[in-house]
Amino acid sequence: MCHPRSRPNGVRLLAGLDGAAWVHAADEAAARLGIPLVATVIEANEWPGRVGIDADGAVLVRPDQAIVWRAPTSGADPADAIGQVLRRVLDR
């Protein structure tokens, strides 16, 4: 896993400890859309609560560090959700 700040100029998806499904879905969506994106699980127990998600949730972060989208939990279909949000955020 890479450190979440390893690509400060790109969009990042940060997931809680149980959010591996988000990381996988984000990697696939980024490849389909042809965009650079770093997706990683944050391995700190207290982190999800600090950003308003559960351990299986995720946030999408712009290069300026602003959270542009939040999924409190993994929900039914992380792949569909992240694909939709990336297309909306990127206006595609």
Side-chain angles (χ1 to χ4, degrees):
M1 270 181 250
C2 65
H3 189 277
R5 292 184 185 263
S6 65
R7 186 180 285 171
N9 295 325
V11 175
R12 294 174 291 139
L13 179 119
L14 307 177
L17 279 171
D18 298 329
W22 285 113
V23 172
H24 181 70
D27 287 341
E28 287 185 352
R32 275 193 313 274
L33 294 168
I35 62 165
L37 183 140
V38 172
T40 192
V41 169
I42 301 297
E43 297 177 356
N45 290 329
E46 70 284 349
W47 180 80
R50 290 182 182 174
V51 297
I53 62 172
D54 291 338
D56 64 338
V59 295
L60 191 66
V61 183
R62 291 189 320 212
D64 65 359
Q65 309 299 313
I67 294 174
V68 295
W69 176 79
R70 182 181 332 256
T73 65
S74 63
D77 190 355
D80 182 55
I82 194 64
Q84 286 183 29
V85 76
L86 284 172
R87 286 188 298 275
R88 186 173 61 238
V89 167
L90 299 169
D91 195 28
R92 292 189 178 185

